[in-house]
Amino acid sequence: MAKKAPGKVRRVAKANKAAKTAKPATRAAAKSAVARSTAKRGKFVYQFGKTTDGNGSMKPLLGGKGANLAEMCRIGLPVPPGFTITTEVCTYYYDHKRSYPPALKAQMQAGIAAIEKQTKKKLGDLKNPLLVSVRSGARDSMPGMMDTILNLGLNDQTVEALAKKTGNPRFAWDCYRRFVQMYGDVVLGVQKRPDEDHEPFETVIETLKHERHHEGIEDTKLSVDDLKELVVRFKALVKERVGKSFPSSPWDQLMGAVGAVFGSWMNDRAIVYRRKYNIPSEWGTAVNVQAMVYGNTGDESGSGVAFTRNPANGTKEFYGEFLINAQGEDVVAGVRTPEPVAELKKQMPKAYGELERIRQRLEKHFKDVQDFEFTIEDGVVYMLQTRNGKRTAMAALKFSIDMFKEKLIDWKTAVMRNPADQLEQLLAPVFDASEAAKAKAIATGLPAGPGAATGRIYLNADRAVTAAEQAQKEADAKGHGSTPEGVLLVRVETSPEDLRGMIAAEGILTARGGVSSHAALVARQMGKVCVCGAAAVEVDYQARKVTVDGQVFNEGDWMSIDGTAGKVYAGRLKTAPSEIVAGLIDGDEAARKTEKFRNFQQLMKWCDQATRMSVRTNADTPEQTQNAIAFGAVGIGLCRTEHMFFEGDRIDAMREMILAETLEDRKAALAKLLPYQREDFAGIFRALKGHPATIRFLDPPLHEFLPNTQESQADLAKKLGVAPAAIHSRVEQLHEFNPMLGFRGCRLGIGYPEISAMQARAVFEAAAIVQKEGVKVKPEIMIPLVGFKKELDLQLEVVHQAAREVQAERKVKLDYLVGTMIEVPRGALTADEIAQSADFFSFGTNDLTQTGLGMSRDDSGSFLPTYTAHEIVKNNPFATIDQTGIGQLVEIAVAKGRATKANLKLGICGEHGGDPASIQFFEKVGLDYVSCSPYRVPVARLAAAQAALRT
Ligand code: ADP
Ligand code: MG
Ligand code: MG
């Protein structure tokens, strides 16, 4: 194999830095697993073509690209022959100081020989040379991996042979210069230095064009002589930058390229991507080596990228683009603007017909929308890749419903086809139709990511990130519920370097690039609002401004983009609720007739058929409750009563209660609060229309209700007619060093039983009132923070006493439960005892995570990012439940609780209740329901249905 070129050494250094952050235990485990399996098999190379070793189900071993190339061969699609080097070799490579298993070389040689036999060409041959492409391919397609090397096998001799053989020197030299350029860049690392504005190879091309022609001339117009000169200059550039000659032996070229693919697995971009999508580094990448077919032999050739259906909005239409006389990379690179596939019908009707046939075949076979790459060589179509197409939530929904109607998939598959964590996109606002009609669009582009986004524009990823962080800080300072101002990332076109900025931005706008451009791809994947290829948008990076038809926008100015229609607007456009929200919540009839709404309702209906767990909501007001019920919640899983004490005059009564010195005074203050609570509960019960409501008693430490500035303390003193000093000292008295673990939860109700008594009475009186109105009421009183059975027993007495009184006074029979939250480890560990007294458990996984990990959620911002970087935790444990640790506490409590009481009702009301990955876990441990915020309810319903279908 090739000796290490300096460019590669640099990559190694980079990768080592990254490798240090990998999780040692898992890596060791992966290592031994690989050692075992390779020892058994020892097969590192899988051929495809005339004989095909692999198939589509072997993605872990062959990578997505390799497995599907094999599958396409199996179903008789025209695929150039080749072989796949397995992902196990990648893992081996990193576990063995970047070396290969000894058996690899011979297997690769056999692989090359098989290609040679099928193509009747030979690597390095001076009459009929074989050229190959070297392509990376992880289990899932992954931006950040090495770019494909095309035309490998060319050198000063084979290029002449190719020219002679094809009778097309222009083509041969075009291939050669592309190869030196790509290989020099990707494998040898001849790339833009920090002080350079352009890629060095591009600079060489520009200079030559300038010297010999004019700058605007297209690459396709360069003469054979120009191309020859380019090769000479490219090689000189390589020599100058790398200090070594460009490798001429095809075998050295091949080994160098294979090493670079494996090396790219640990580059920064790949690592960032894996982190975002939770892809373990142990997966590794495969390498595909494949005979070249040529899209650049003339006007009967070309290459393109297509989808079997429209991945932005879901329409059933052949969707994609192609370039005449071009090799694959050109389509994506944005050097020339591709044409829509429909054009191909006119220009190459036969090839178009063949592609149509392939499009049908692909969907019939894979039963899902495919994203495929093809090349046409002298009128003959070749397939180079296929995979399940990335799609927006809107397209996913339409695909799933349409394919069910077409009998391609059954309803369960249709449910699985909708990614639960993307579903919220469908509820995101759209632009207010009347506003949009008034505002004139200043530019149009491709609608690449549906939805509406409005924000301040930034032209660079770093500045977009900073601005988004700043906006978030400002929103946080404003207080709960205020959404941060949006950021729009505006670029000529995006590249993987922009990923962070794209993640931070609300929406993405590009001036160049089509459906297969990087921006469109990322938008589909991340569900970002995106308009791409809006040619009227002129971006000036230097001046940090954007000009559209004479109108200037500086960084920080507002723009709005409509990713559903592909329109760009100046300024801040008003948004309106999505058709689904409008239909469900506002009862908007027009919205209910839209296809989007009807498809959504169908999906939700299927979810109800599939699900075992039910979905409740966390709501404290009748309005929230109503919304959640409209979204399909079947009850309240958590009603936080403390929120009810902040509104209007209530806070005064609350403060009076807290400041009271005697039981009498406290009871007097509580009596003022009672009617408020009763009314709140009655409203909620009515909104619930017979569904159950889990009501949690007062939970936060009392000082949270007290004024903390001198001014506000003085104010309160005046209102209550006491001395300011008295208030001050009571506040001091209530101060705690660690409020999260202090005087809160059931400790309050035990210290001041009259508080619980008031709350219980308010619940039961409200229940009695609403029940008399003819509405069923099912209160479930929940005592927070219980760690000892005795705690619950003390509160039970108070609750039952109030129930007896109210039932007697109002002459009603009330149907209620009393249970507890499980949110401290002791509660989980002694669940068998606690279950003797509890009718139900609800896992408060927020606090259970805090107390179980000994980690304060509100303080974790300062160290969690480091923890994620080191892969100490794979996810934020406050967003996705830590299954091995906290999950175990849940499992213990479930087992012990049900051992005591088989019919114990079990639910979860932490943030995790709306997180699809956590919901999957809750299905596995057998909870009865999950509870989440109202707008998360559809997501949870989908996730719960999918979890049930998976088990
Ligand atoms: P990516 O993973 O970025 O999609 P690919 O490995 O699919 O990269 O390669 C990109 C493009 O290179 C392909 O779409 C195709 O046009 C071209 N290409 C790859 N291999 C070959 C080949 N053997 N013959 C012709 N073109 C190829
Ligand atoms: Mg590809
Ligand atoms: Mg709690």
Side-chain angles (χ1 to χ4, degrees):
M1 72 167 270
K3 295 203 192 82
K4 268 183 196 155
K8 206 168 151 199
V9 174
R10 213 188 57 183
R11 280 162 189 268
V12 173
K14 239 195 208 170
N16 274 346
K17 205 171 97 204
K20 269 192 213 137
T21 63
K23 200 173 172 180
T26 328
R27 280 181 56 81
K31 186 170 163 179
S32 58
V34 166
R36 272 196 308 279
S37 64
T38 51
K40 223 169 34 206
R41 263 200 307 269
K43 183 169 171 63
F44 303 115
V45 168
Y46 283 69
Q47 296 180 13
F48 55 86
K50 213 163 175 180
T51 49
T52 299
D53 304 334
N55 64 55
S57 72
M58 295 168 75
K59 295 192 174 69
L61 186 66
L62 303 180
K65 201 181 285 170
N68 274 355
L69 282 168
E71 189 70 18
M72 284 198 293
C73 287
R74 285 183 181 275
I75 62 170
L77 294 183
V79 177
F83 59 84
T84 304
I85 304 173
T86 67
T87 54
E88 288 179 349
V89 177
C90 184
T91 315
Y92 181 102
Y93 181 77
Y94 282 105
D95 287 340
H96 294 81
K97 303 202 183 90
R98 299 191 174 230
S99 65
Y100 301 109
L104 179 67
K105 189 162 180 184
Q107 293 184 21
M108 280 177 66
Q109 279 163 341
I112 290 286
I115 303 177
E116 289 175 339
K117 200 164 159 220
Q118 290 171 72
T119 57
K120 303 191 177 66
K121 296 177 183 174
K122 262 188 143 47
L123 197 65
D125 194 63
L126 297 185
K127 282 219 183 69
N128 194 6
L130 169 70
L131 305 191
V132 295
S133 65
V134 176
R135 323 169 62 186
S136 63
R139 207 180 286 198
D140 283 327
S141 89
M142 223 182 86
M145 293 302 300
M146 194 195 82
D147 288 338
T148 295
I149 304 284
L150 300 180
N151 311 318
L152 188 143
L154 281 173
N155 57 31
D156 293 348
Q157 288 77 45
T158 51
V159 69
E160 295 294 359
L162 184 66
K164 200 152 159 226
K165 173 86 193 161
T166 57
N168 191 345
R170 198 193 169 280
F171 154 73
W173 283 94
D174 187 44
C175 288
Y176 194 18
R177 75 94 191 160
R178 282 165 188 271
F179 170 55
V180 178
Q181 181 174 354
M182 276 193 208
Y183 198 92
D185 171 350
V186 185
V187 179
L188 303 177
V190 178
Q191 285 157 357
K192 196 166 77 173
R193 291 174 175 157
D195 60 328
E196 287 173 329
D197 283 336
H198 302 283
E199 299 296 334
F201 287 108
E202 290 302 328
T203 308
V204 172
I205 298 177
E206 291 307 311
T207 312
L208 181 116
K209 282 182 179 175
H210 185 75
E211 283 171 21
R212 296 190 166 188
H213 309 272
H214 54 91
E215 262 119 282
I217 185 178
E218 284 206 29
D219 289 0
T220 45
K221 298 278 163 17
L222 293 175
S223 70
V224 173
D225 221 46
D226 293 336
L227 296 168
K228 284 187 177 172
E229 179 59 22
L230 276 183
V231 170
V232 172
R233 293 190 191 183
F234 282 172
K235 284 187 170 180
L237 174 70
V238 167
K239 180 103 194 219
E240 176 209 318
R241 293 278 173 108
V242 184
K244 263 193 188 185
S245 302
F246 190 87
S248 60
S249 143
W251 192 258
D252 285 351
Q253 292 172 353
L254 180 60
M255 291 313 289
V258 169
V261 173
F262 288 141
S264 71
W265 182 248
M266 286 295 181
N267 75 26
D268 291 347
R269 270 199 265 137
I271 290 170
V272 167
Y273 183 87
R274 282 202 291 276
R275 201 165 286 152
K276 177 161 167 63
Y277 290 97
N278 286 314
I279 297 172
S281 50
E282 302 90 61
W283 281 9
T285 180
V287 182
N288 298 290
V289 177
Q290 187 178 27
M292 282 301 300
V293 287
Y294 308 105
N296 57 336
T297 57
D299 287 344
E300 283 301 301
S301 302
S303 62
V305 184
F307 284 81
T308 54
R309 301 183 193 211
N310 185 321
N313 63 22
T315 308
K316 188 174 183 186
E317 63 187 359
F318 195 10
Y319 182 88
E321 54 198 16
F322 78 105
L323 270 179
I324 294 262
N325 195 9
Q327 281 197 326
E329 295 289 292
D330 300 349
V331 182
V332 195
V335 188
R336 282 157 57 197
T337 306
E339 296 180 76
V341 260
E343 278 297 304
L344 203 55
K345 202 170 182 175
K346 295 179 210 148
Q347 303 188 18
M348 290 185 221
K350 243 184 94 198
Y352 182 83
E354 169 73 354
L355 280 169
E356 256 299 345
R357 189 188 69 84
I358 291 173
R359 174 184 167 224
Q360 314 275 350
R361 182 86 183 87
L362 285 173
E363 280 206 350
K364 266 233 166 69
H365 181 74
F366 288 96
K367 306 216 180 330
D368 198 357
V369 171
Q370 297 294 296
D371 162 3
F372 64 97
E373 297 172 6
F374 61 93
T375 281
I376 304 171
E377 179 182 321
D378 299 326
V380 182
V381 176
Y382 291 95
M383 291 296 288
L384 291 168
Q385 186 171 342
T386 192
R387 60 186 165 201
N388 293 339
K390 290 268 169 10
R391 59 204 68 180
T392 64
M394 194 153 128
L397 179 61
K398 187 161 158 52
F399 289 168
S400 67
I401 305 283
D402 286 353
M403 290 189 135
F404 168 79
K405 287 185 193 153
E406 293 160 28
K407 301 200 163 64
L408 275 175
I409 55 176
D410 61 12
W411 68 270
K412 290 180 181 171
T413 312
V415 171
M416 297 308 290
R417 287 285 168 80
N418 288 275
D421 45 11
Q422 273 187 24
L423 196 71
E424 243 180 352
Q425 278 175 41
L426 294 173
L427 309 184
V430 294
F431 282 127
D432 185 302
S434 64
E435 284 273 317
K438 262 186 279 157
K440 215 171 123 291
I442 54 171
T444 44
L446 276 170
T454 177
R456 298 180 186 277
I457 61 164
Y458 288 89
L459 275 51
N460 141 310
D462 284 340
R463 293 197 297 275
V465 170
T466 314
E469 284 170 358
Q470 185 58 33
Q472 182 66 52
K473 262 187 218 147
E474 280 163 19
D476 289 348
K478 268 193 216 145
H480 287 295
S482 62
T483 42
E485 287 185 341
V487 165
L488 293 185
L489 181 69
V490 185
R491 303 277 303 165
V492 176
E493 55 195 328
T494 61
S495 70
E497 280 79 32
D498 300 321
L499 208 58
R500 287 168 218 257
M502 298 171 89
I503 293 170
E506 196 86 351
I508 303 157
L509 170 63
T510 67
R512 262 214 315 254
V515 291
S516 50
S517 67
H518 180 260
L521 198 122
V522 172
R524 273 197 293 278
Q525 192 152 0
M526 301 201 298
K528 288 278 169 186
V529 177
C530 175
V531 173
C532 65
V537 175
E538 293 168 48
V539 183
D540 184 341
Y541 291 132
Q542 229 89 51
R544 298 192 181 176
K545 64 172 194 191
V546 169
T547 315
V548 189
D549 201 15
Q551 201 174 344
V552 176
F553 302 84
N554 291 304
E555 270 203 350
D557 287 351
W558 286 87
M559 283 177 100
S560 302
I561 56 172
D562 181 342
T564 315
K567 299 214 155 115
V568 183
Y569 299 91
R572 240 180 141 160
L573 228 61
K574 217 168 89 202
T575 53
S578 120
E579 295 88 330
I580 293 166
V581 175
L584 290 175
I585 309 272
D586 314 330
D588 178 335
E589 280 307 321
R592 298 179 73 93
K593 292 208 176 83
T594 59
E595 188 187 15
K596 184 170 160 191
F597 182 88
R598 281 180 291 124
N599 284 348
F600 178 83
Q601 286 296 78
Q602 175 61 264
L603 175 64
M604 287 296 125
K605 216 165 117 194
W606 283 333
C607 286
D608 288 343
Q609 271 175 51
T611 203
R612 185 191 60 78
M613 287 193 294
S614 55
V615 176
R616 293 193 185 188
T617 191
N618 299 354
D620 325 324
T621 66
E623 196 199 344
Q624 288 171 5
T625 309
Q626 234 157 28
N627 291 349
I629 299 287
F631 278 134
V634 292
I636 290 180
L638 175 63
C639 175
R640 297 179 173 90
T641 49
E642 58 272 15
H643 289 187
M644 301 173 172
F645 293 128
F646 280 102
E647 268 167 49
D649 312 335
R650 306 167 177 205
I651 187 70
D652 293 337
M654 184 67 185
R655 287 170 171 170
E656 195 182 326
M657 189 276 289
I658 294 169
L659 294 167
E661 304 272 346
T662 65
L663 180 62
E664 245 58 288
D665 289 352
R666 199 155 41 243
K667 279 191 169 164
L670 283 165
K672 290 188 197 164
L673 284 169
L674 177 75
Y676 291 126
Q677 285 248 293
R678 187 174 56 215
E679 213 169 293
D680 286 337
F681 292 138
I684 288 171
F685 291 151
R686 288 187 192 107
L688 276 168
K689 297 184 185 135
H691 293 299
T694 305
I695 296 165
R696 179 180 72 185
F697 277 7
L698 193 62
D699 182 53
L702 296 182
H703 67 84
E704 278 190 15
F705 297 95
L706 291 181
N708 43 23
T709 65
Q710 219 166 12
E711 264 183 350
S712 48
Q713 289 178 4
D715 263 5
L716 182 65
K718 218 188 220 151
K719 265 192 201 159
L720 300 181
V722 297
I727 298 213
H728 183 74
S729 83
R730 183 74 177 137
V731 172
E732 294 273 274
Q733 217 182 350
L734 285 170
H735 170 81
E736 291 179 314
F737 289 103
N738 201 339
M740 188 191 96
L741 302 176
F743 193 15
R744 55 166 292 218
C746 65
R747 298 161 199 174
L748 289 170
I750 292 165
Y752 304 113
E754 54 281 9
I755 299 180
S756 299
M758 181 280 283
Q759 290 205 288
R761 177 166 272 278
V763 169
F764 294 130
E765 288 184 359
I769 291 168
V770 176
Q771 193 161 303
K772 282 190 178 155
E773 294 167 5
V775 181
K776 251 218 202 118
V777 183
K778 293 188 201 156
E780 302 174 349
I781 289 171
M782 179 158 77
I783 308 301
L785 216 70
V786 167
F788 300 83
K789 172 173 178 285
K790 188 69 197 265
E791 289 173 319
L792 180 57
D793 288 340
L794 286 171
Q795 291 288 286
L796 273 179
E797 258 173 55
V798 177
V799 173
H800 289 318
Q801 173 66 25
R804 279 192 296 273
E805 286 169 14
V806 174
Q807 293 185 98
E809 287 163 18
R810 307 221 168 197
K811 303 200 173 45
V812 285
K813 174 93 190 62
L814 297 171
D815 179 17
Y816 70 98
L817 304 176
V818 191
T820 177
M821 279 182 96
I822 298 291
E823 53 184 338
V824 296
R826 195 181 193 283
L829 297 172
T830 60
D832 47 347
E833 295 172 17
I834 294 174
Q836 290 166 13
S837 302
D839 296 327
F840 65 87
F841 287 170
S842 174
F843 291 94
T845 52
N846 295 347
D847 273 339
L848 192 59
T849 300
Q850 296 203 92
T851 54
L853 297 180
M855 206 181 259
S856 150
R857 176 180 58 180
D858 300 333
D859 300 314
S860 62
S862 54
F863 55 85
L864 257 191
T866 320
Y867 270 44
T868 330
H870 285 290
E871 293 186 24
I872 296 171
V873 292
K874 289 230 156 141
N875 304 293
N876 177 343
F878 297 105
T880 296
I881 193 161
D882 157 40
Q883 290 189 20
T884 33
I886 305 306
Q888 222 183 111
L889 288 171
V890 175
E891 283 173 304
I892 291 170
V894 168
K896 290 197 162 189
R898 287 224 167 112
T900 301
K901 209 174 252 177
N903 63 347
L904 188 71
K905 201 193 285 186
L906 299 170
I908 131 100
C909 62
E911 290 301 315
H912 303 101
D915 170 59
S918 308
I919 290 173
Q920 171 77 43
F921 174 76
F922 299 134
E923 167 72 26
K924 201 187 86 191
V925 300
L927 300 195
D928 298 309
Y929 69 86
V930 298
S931 186
C932 60
S933 58
Y935 276 73
R936 237 16 228 183
V937 166
V939 173
R941 286 172 74 191
L942 178 56
Q946 292 179 341
L949 290 174
R950 272 189 210 108
T951 31

